[in-house]
Amino acid sequence: QVQLVESGGGLVQTGGSLRLSCTASGHTFGGLIMGWFRRASGKEREFVASISRSNGYTYYPDSVKGRFTISRDNAKNTVYLQMNSLKPEDTAIYYCAADAGLSYTIQTRAYEYDYWGQGTQVTVSA
């Protein structure tokens, strides 16, 4: 069983930055594809970023590409999401997720992830 704990959310002004962290336990971290998702109030869950096990490949949707960066430190069992140039539409609860499967390099589909964190609120004021 993998436990994921997110931190780093908060309130920031438009154009500001935040860095989210997610620390995993209960599994060999280097064997996990990691991802970030978000859910805004009244909207469906949205894929934000994914990173491969070896930190060699990342993937983003157009909505965050060029502003968000996912990275991982396998020695610290931690994945990060650096968010720059934040916009009010980035306001959401952000969730860290882990995929223990071996079939893919990165993963954009929420239903493929096996473990989820509790979420951390990010609010961007206009």
Side-chain angles (χ1 to χ4, degrees):
Q1 189 74 8
V2 177
Q3 293 79 43
L4 302 174
V5 179
E6 302 104 333
S7 61
L11 174 65
V12 64
Q13 292 184 333
T14 296
S17 298
L18 282 174
R19 189 177 81 156
L20 306 183
S21 300
C22 172
T23 300
S25 61
H27 194 284
T28 302
F29 186 70
L32 299 170
I33 296 171
M34 299 301 297
W36 288 95
F37 290 76
R38 66 187 181 187
R39 186 191 298 271
S41 179
K43 296 187 177 181
E44 294 187 355
R45 183 170 46 190
E46 177 187 13
F47 167 72
V48 173
S50 180
I51 188 167
S52 64
R53 300 173 190 84
S54 65
N55 202 26
Y57 188 73
T58 58
Y59 188 80
Y60 309 90
D62 288 344
S63 58
V64 306
K65 192 177 297 181
R67 300 189 298 122
F68 290 11
T69 302
I70 187 172
S71 62
R72 66 190 296 162
D73 185 338
N74 286 352
K76 295 183 178 180
N77 291 352
T78 300
V79 62
Y80 305 97
L81 185 68
Q82 177 66 44
M83 304 185 294
N84 299 328
S85 302
L86 283 162
K87 306 174 183 180
E89 51 263 44
D90 294 318
T91 295
I93 300 174
Y94 283 71
Y95 298 90
C96 171
D99 177 2
L102 301 176
S103 300
Y104 299 96
T105 300
I106 56 91
Q107 188 56 258
T108 65
R109 295 168 291 192
Y111 65 83
E112 291 284 357
Y113 283 87
D114 303 293
Y115 306 102
W116 293 83
Q118 81 286 355
T120 185
Q121 176 71 46
V122 171
T123 303
V124 184
S125 62

